[in-house]
Amino acid sequence: MLWAAVVLVLLVLAGLCIAREMQTSAYQARFFAALARKASFEVAAGPSPLIRFPQRAPYDDRLGYSQLPVFLQRLQARDFKVVEQARISPTMAQIVDAGYFAPYAEKTQAGLCIFDRDRQRLFQERYPQRVFARLDDIPPLLVSSLLYIENRELLDPQQPLRNPAVEWDRLANAVLSKAKASLAGDSRSPGGSTLATQIEKYRHSAEGRTSSVYEKLQQMVSAALRAYQPGEDTSAARRQIVLAYINTMPLSAKAGFGEVHGLGDGLWVWYGRDFQDVGGILGPLGKAGASPQGDWDAQAQLYKQALSLLIAQRRPSYYFDADEAELEQLTNSHLNLLGHAGVIPLALRDAALRVKLQRRSGKLPVATVSFVAQKAANTVRTHLAGLLGGQRLYDLDRLDLSVVSTLDAPVQTAVTSLLRDLRDPAHVKAAGLSAKQLLARGDPAKVVYSFTLYERGSDVNVMRVQTDNFDQPLNINEGIKLDLGSTAKLRTLVTYLDIMDKLHQQLSPLAAAQLRALAIDRQDVLTRWAADYFATASDKSLGAMLEAALQRRYSASPGEGFMTGDGLYHFVNFNAEDNGRVLSVRDGLRKSVNLVFIRLMRDVVRHYMFLTPGSSAKLLQDADDPRRAAYLARFADHEGQVFMRRFLVKYHGKTAQEAQELLLGNVRPTASRLAAIHRTLFPAAPRDQFIAWVQGNLPDGIDPAEPTLARLYAQYAPDRMSLADRGYLAGVHPLELWLVGYLQAHPGAGQTQVMQASVAELQAVYALLFSTHRKQAQDKRILGLLEGEGFLEIQRQWAQMGYPFDTLVPSYATALGASADRPAALAELMGILVNDGLRKPNTRIQSLHFAAATPYDTLLQYRPGRARAGAGGRPGRARRYPAGGRGRYRQAREQGLCARRWPRSAGRRQDRHR
């Protein structure tokens, strides 16, 4: 029987060891501290060879840690380079790869911080907003109440090595209760989580929940590693756990505030309590203290409200969405429990039972904000949101991110102050702006000013100031579309000079006989002029040619009607004295004469229409030409695919609704146009949906009768009207109309799929255009289509010069501002001109620092590539010309500077161009 005695002794010793370990955690402390000590990280130069980003979870999503791989990919594609990044130790990598959470000192507060070029703070957000700095700042009564409810042994000073991830008696009770509940078929049972494991759960588990035994083990091990990282003694770590829990426990969300975390934000959001009241009212309250009756009511209500939050964190969305009475009842039951246990004074319990929680009703108060004062920060925030893939500002502000911008805060402040002062008549007069044709009449407070300043660097243009005096959350420089007539004329001039530059490359090497032998369409006026110029010019340099091009003359007469866009239009000049003049291009720009630029734009459009031999425009010439069929097949197969690809680029990444809005943005809405569009986009839609859609997109005051719309619904049915006819009636390229409809039915379709699906449409659209025997009507339709294609070429050139929109209005009125522009885009255009055609990158951000002092720490700096040619592919060519010959950009720049002296039309809307 000796062996039995030995076994018994061993069992007793094992039991004693286990009991001692459950009480002291000595072996756990030794094991986890040794392991956690090896789990470290350091930050070094360059991209990290060893880094692990966390999986999706509430805390890691909110601070941006889980999204860092996507952010970095986007930023690196925009010329940001990783200059420093964290390197985790092999042990930390093994821990993370095994499925546990990275052990490090996590942040209680984080948020977006923006600095100016000199590291002056422009903007800062911190979430949660209201936190306790130290555990001693929290009223002891709240701490003792929390520990009694959730983790009674956590702060036991007698056990310095205690593992805060497990409380054995609580865990055993939870396991037994779970087993009993399972046998009884009851899904409810008390939990065994400690505060440490709860923090791991609501921060790092999916959706902040525990869905399996494995996840519970994952939380416990991760919490233990985090607690023992400073060493075997967890006394300080356990105090930090209580502090972190009270500051960060999730408490649902409230409209007008967002996600609520922590006791401080919770009291303010749900009960309207000032954070300072917590310490001021509850701080002096002791368990054994006796307070006068007058103080109990105030203390009792605040304590009850705080207690309700400690309880509600278990199911916060449920309790704060439910009737207040349910949380009231649960809180009262806890008050009785805490009072009977002696955790709170009975007098406090009784007073708290008498008062109601009084949850805040209605919207949260909105702090008064000066939007003008925030212009600097907001221009960085909106730009940063785009860099990171369209983040909402709400999400952006909660990222653990510091940004150093290029803005100059003192200059920004001074300019903003100046623009605001110009709302005062006295300041207007002092600035000399009260003269005739300036601000002599009217209310200067109604004038909105915007200002953008870039500093030109060797490789990049850096933004120093961007502001306006519009006291609303709208960036006038970048967030609106303005009808800028003078800017449009300058863009048209640049396009004109760019064409001349390309004609110089093509034609200047040719002999006079070769030039005279060229087959140039009579409507391609610009190529004809260039050929004639080189046939007789003695100086064929680019500078001489551009100088001659600026001397080309156009009539300013408003007597001619112009077939453009969707009909016949007449235009007027701002100054009627110009009507009888014939002006050079240079003088037309200097005087901002509308009709000069209408005629210049017509020549530009026709040049692109007839740009290459055998182009689609040649099909207009001869209806009996035997080559017509071959031209048509090539046009449908080749050029149709070219334009289809361009339309694909235009609608790439757009949702169905965004694509619809973009399409309609360049259509003058009438019932017939909208009918043609809807019957193409939604061919199977019933008539009532068709009528509602058309009526919803018509301007106010236009309300066709339902019988009229019913007739259009039947008349424009796809089986009764061809795609080409519907595109013509809608004023939209048929292929663009078809593509938007196809993408509505096949969201996410790629280029290959679209091209394969459009083969029949490419042939049918262009074949049907040439199927009619009425050549005059046929040519009219073709010209409208080809004019739109000409404007696609112009838009491509304008985009190279910083034009901000994807489309142009296909009308000569684009030369007067009908296609709109933005002040910031004008600043970029001028930057290209002063750089002799080099389009240097623009930036307003120097560096981005994500997740500082964490295992995900990443610092990026903006390192731009080489400048690109603004247009024409020959940047800086102007510099190679001697003093007697200027390049096209220098010519455009010098003509553009004349705009500063335009007497009457500068800065005014060209509202009379139709």
mmCIF file of all heavy atoms in Angstrom, residues 865-888:
data_model
loop_
_atom_site.group_PDB
_atom_site.id
_atom_site.type_symbol
_atom_site.label_atom_id
_atom_site.label_comp_id
_atom_site.label_asym_id
_atom_site.label_seq_id
_atom_site.Cartn_x
_atom_site.Cartn_y
_atom_site.Cartn_z
ATOM 1 N N GLY A 865 7.751 62.665 -57.112
ATOM 2 C CA GLY A 865 8.538 62.289 -58.270
ATOM 3 C C GLY A 865 8.842 63.511 -59.121
ATOM 4 O O GLY A 865 8.662 64.660 -58.706
ATOM 5 N N ARG A 866 9.265 63.280 -60.330
ATOM 6 C CA ARG A 866 9.616 64.383 -61.217
ATOM 7 C C ARG A 866 8.368 65.078 -61.715
ATOM 8 O O ARG A 866 7.307 64.489 -61.858
ATOM 9 C CB ARG A 866 10.420 63.857 -62.402
ATOM 10 C CG ARG A 866 11.742 63.208 -62.013
ATOM 11 C CD ARG A 866 12.492 62.729 -63.234
ATOM 12 N NE ARG A 866 12.815 63.840 -64.123
ATOM 13 C CZ ARG A 866 13.413 63.686 -65.307
ATOM 14 N NH1 ARG A 866 13.740 62.460 -65.723
ATOM 15 N NH2 ARG A 866 13.686 64.725 -66.073
ATOM 16 N N ALA A 867 8.513 66.365 -61.999
ATOM 17 C CA ALA A 867 7.397 67.131 -62.549
ATOM 18 C C ALA A 867 7.038 66.589 -63.930
ATOM 19 O O ALA A 867 7.883 66.078 -64.669
ATOM 20 C CB ALA A 867 7.756 68.606 -62.624
ATOM 21 N N ARG A 868 5.752 66.725 -64.266
ATOM 22 C CA ARG A 868 5.266 66.252 -65.562
ATOM 23 C C ARG A 868 5.003 67.447 -66.468
ATOM 24 O O ARG A 868 4.787 68.565 -66.009
ATOM 25 C CB ARG A 868 3.977 65.443 -65.399
ATOM 26 C CG ARG A 868 4.082 64.313 -64.416
ATOM 27 C CD ARG A 868 2.830 63.461 -64.455
ATOM 28 N NE ARG A 868 1.618 64.223 -64.293
ATOM 29 C CZ ARG A 868 1.095 64.557 -63.129
ATOM 30 N NH1 ARG A 868 1.724 64.226 -62.005
ATOM 31 N NH2 ARG A 868 -0.036 65.239 -63.058
ATOM 32 N N ALA A 869 4.966 67.159 -67.765
ATOM 33 C CA ALA A 869 4.593 68.205 -68.707
ATOM 34 C C ALA A 869 3.127 68.526 -68.526
ATOM 35 O O ALA A 869 2.284 67.634 -68.465
ATOM 36 C CB ALA A 869 4.856 67.747 -70.141
ATOM 37 N N GLY A 870 2.800 69.807 -68.463
ATOM 38 C CA GLY A 870 1.400 70.192 -68.327
ATOM 39 C C GLY A 870 0.592 69.793 -69.537
ATOM 40 O O GLY A 870 -0.530 69.349 -69.435
ATOM 41 N N ALA A 871 1.132 69.967 -70.718
ATOM 42 C CA ALA A 871 0.468 69.562 -71.956
ATOM 43 C C ALA A 871 1.522 69.537 -73.050
ATOM 44 O O ALA A 871 2.527 70.240 -73.002
ATOM 45 C CB ALA A 871 -0.661 70.535 -72.317
ATOM 46 N N GLY A 872 1.287 68.706 -74.032
ATOM 47 C CA GLY A 872 2.167 68.697 -75.191
ATOM 48 C C GLY A 872 3.417 67.871 -75.032
ATOM 49 O O GLY A 872 4.125 67.615 -75.994
ATOM 50 N N GLY A 873 3.773 67.473 -73.799
ATOM 51 C CA GLY A 873 4.880 66.568 -73.596
ATOM 52 C C GLY A 873 6.253 67.180 -73.661
ATOM 53 O O GLY A 873 7.249 66.474 -73.674
ATOM 54 N N ARG A 874 6.371 68.524 -73.677
ATOM 55 C CA ARG A 874 7.697 69.127 -73.771
ATOM 56 C C ARG A 874 7.861 70.191 -72.700
ATOM 57 O O ARG A 874 7.847 71.383 -72.980
ATOM 58 C CB ARG A 874 7.911 69.724 -75.148
ATOM 59 C CG ARG A 874 7.925 68.679 -76.245
ATOM 60 C CD ARG A 874 8.436 69.253 -77.537
ATOM 61 N NE ARG A 874 7.543 70.265 -78.065
ATOM 62 C CZ ARG A 874 7.861 71.046 -79.095
ATOM 63 N NH1 ARG A 874 9.038 70.950 -79.666
ATOM 64 N NH2 ARG A 874 7.011 71.929 -79.541
ATOM 65 N N PRO A 875 7.973 69.778 -71.431
ATOM 66 C CA PRO A 875 8.111 70.752 -70.366
ATOM 67 C C PRO A 875 9.390 71.553 -70.498
ATOM 68 O O PRO A 875 10.438 71.033 -70.849
ATOM 69 C CB PRO A 875 8.132 69.892 -69.106
ATOM 70 C CG PRO A 875 8.642 68.576 -69.572
ATOM 71 C CD PRO A 875 8.111 68.407 -70.954
ATOM 72 N N GLY A 876 9.254 72.806 -70.155
ATOM 73 C CA GLY A 876 10.434 73.641 -70.082
ATOM 74 C C GLY A 876 11.029 74.019 -71.430
ATOM 75 O O GLY A 876 12.087 74.626 -71.495
ATOM 76 N N ARG A 877 10.346 73.676 -72.540
ATOM 77 C CA ARG A 877 10.928 73.982 -73.841
ATOM 78 C C ARG A 877 11.117 75.483 -74.020
ATOM 79 O O ARG A 877 12.029 75.932 -74.701
ATOM 80 C CB ARG A 877 10.023 73.435 -74.944
ATOM 81 C CG ARG A 877 10.515 73.790 -76.350
ATOM 82 C CD ARG A 877 9.789 72.989 -77.405
ATOM 83 N NE ARG A 877 10.255 73.388 -78.730
ATOM 84 C CZ ARG A 877 10.020 72.696 -79.815
ATOM 85 N NH1 ARG A 877 9.371 71.570 -79.739
ATOM 86 N NH2 ARG A 877 10.446 73.116 -80.987
ATOM 87 N N ALA A 878 10.247 76.275 -73.365
ATOM 88 C CA ALA A 878 10.353 77.723 -73.522
ATOM 89 C C ALA A 878 11.705 78.236 -73.077
ATOM 90 O O ALA A 878 12.183 79.245 -73.576
ATOM 91 C CB ALA A 878 9.251 78.404 -72.717
ATOM 92 N N ARG A 879 12.335 77.553 -72.137
ATOM 93 C CA ARG A 879 13.613 78.035 -71.632
ATOM 94 C C ARG A 879 14.714 77.962 -72.698
ATOM 95 O O ARG A 879 15.749 78.599 -72.571
ATOM 96 C CB ARG A 879 14.041 77.214 -70.417
ATOM 97 C CG ARG A 879 13.091 77.307 -69.242
ATOM 98 C CD ARG A 879 13.734 76.688 -68.012
ATOM 99 N NE ARG A 879 12.810 76.659 -66.896
ATOM 100 C CZ ARG A 879 12.040 75.630 -66.590
ATOM 101 N NH1 ARG A 879 12.089 74.546 -67.338
ATOM 102 N NH2 ARG A 879 11.235 75.674 -65.552
ATOM 103 N N ARG A 880 14.493 77.136 -73.737
ATOM 104 C CA ARG A 880 15.553 76.941 -74.718
ATOM 105 C C ARG A 880 15.495 77.968 -75.852
ATOM 106 O O ARG A 880 16.264 77.884 -76.794
ATOM 107 C CB ARG A 880 15.464 75.527 -75.297
ATOM 108 C CG ARG A 880 15.658 74.442 -74.240
ATOM 109 C CD ARG A 880 16.045 73.138 -74.894
ATOM 110 N NE ARG A 880 14.985 72.610 -75.744
ATOM 111 C CZ ARG A 880 14.051 71.782 -75.316
ATOM 112 N NH1 ARG A 880 14.021 71.426 -74.044
ATOM 113 N NH2 ARG A 880 13.145 71.319 -76.134
ATOM 114 N N TYR A 881 14.547 78.898 -75.765
ATOM 115 C CA TYR A 881 14.433 79.884 -76.827
ATOM 116 C C TYR A 881 15.158 81.151 -76.443
ATOM 117 O O TYR A 881 15.128 81.566 -75.287
ATOM 118 C CB TYR A 881 12.955 80.184 -77.125
ATOM 119 C CG TYR A 881 12.298 79.036 -77.824
ATOM 120 C CD1 TYR A 881 11.593 78.074 -77.108
ATOM 121 C CD2 TYR A 881 12.437 78.867 -79.199
ATOM 122 C CE1 TYR A 881 11.025 76.996 -77.742
ATOM 123 C CE2 TYR A 881 11.871 77.787 -79.839
ATOM 124 C CZ TYR A 881 11.168 76.848 -79.109
ATOM 125 O OH TYR A 881 10.618 75.787 -79.741
ATOM 126 N N PRO A 882 15.808 81.803 -77.384
ATOM 127 C CA PRO A 882 16.487 83.063 -77.089
ATOM 128 C C PRO A 882 15.476 84.159 -76.810
ATOM 129 O O PRO A 882 14.280 83.960 -76.918
ATOM 130 C CB PRO A 882 17.288 83.332 -78.375
ATOM 131 C CG PRO A 882 16.544 82.602 -79.449
ATOM 132 C CD PRO A 882 15.978 81.383 -78.794
ATOM 133 N N ALA A 883 15.987 85.318 -76.477
ATOM 134 C CA ALA A 883 15.114 86.403 -76.054
ATOM 135 C C ALA A 883 14.081 86.749 -77.112
ATOM 136 O O ALA A 883 12.980 87.178 -76.793
ATOM 137 C CB ALA A 883 15.950 87.638 -75.711
ATOM 138 N N GLY A 884 14.407 86.559 -78.357
ATOM 139 C CA GLY A 884 13.460 86.938 -79.396
ATOM 140 C C GLY A 884 12.343 85.951 -79.603
ATOM 141 O O GLY A 884 11.392 86.237 -80.315
ATOM 142 N N GLY A 885 12.400 84.743 -79.063
ATOM 143 C CA GLY A 885 11.368 83.742 -79.281
ATOM 144 C C GLY A 885 10.883 83.149 -77.994
ATOM 145 O O GLY A 885 11.660 82.562 -77.253
ATOM 146 N N ARG A 886 9.607 83.262 -77.691
ATOM 147 C CA ARG A 886 9.066 82.763 -76.439
ATOM 148 C C ARG A 886 8.359 81.423 -76.667
ATOM 149 O O ARG A 886 7.761 81.195 -77.697
ATOM 150 C CB ARG A 886 8.062 83.751 -75.838
ATOM 151 C CG ARG A 886 8.647 85.125 -75.563
ATOM 152 C CD ARG A 886 7.584 85.976 -74.863
ATOM 153 N NE ARG A 886 8.080 87.305 -74.600
ATOM 154 C CZ ARG A 886 7.861 88.340 -75.398
ATOM 155 N NH1 ARG A 886 7.175 88.179 -76.493
ATOM 156 N NH2 ARG A 886 8.327 89.527 -75.085
ATOM 157 N N GLY A 887 8.372 80.544 -75.672
ATOM 158 C CA GLY A 887 7.629 79.294 -75.734
ATOM 159 C C GLY A 887 6.155 79.529 -75.474
ATOM 160 O O GLY A 887 5.741 80.590 -75.025
ATOM 161 N N ARG A 888 5.367 78.501 -75.732
ATOM 162 C CA ARG A 888 3.906 78.660 -75.617
ATOM 163 C C ARG A 888 3.488 78.965 -74.195
ATOM 164 O O ARG A 888 2.537 79.711 -73.971
ATOM 165 C CB ARG A 888 3.201 77.398 -76.102
ATOM 166 C CG ARG A 888 3.637 76.124 -75.407
ATOM 167 C CD ARG A 888 3.188 74.901 -76.206
ATOM 168 N NE ARG A 888 3.902 73.730 -75.764
ATOM 169 C CZ ARG A 888 3.396 72.809 -74.973
ATOM 170 N NH1 ARG A 888 2.179 72.946 -74.517
ATOM 171 N NH2 ARG A 888 4.097 71.770 -74.615
#
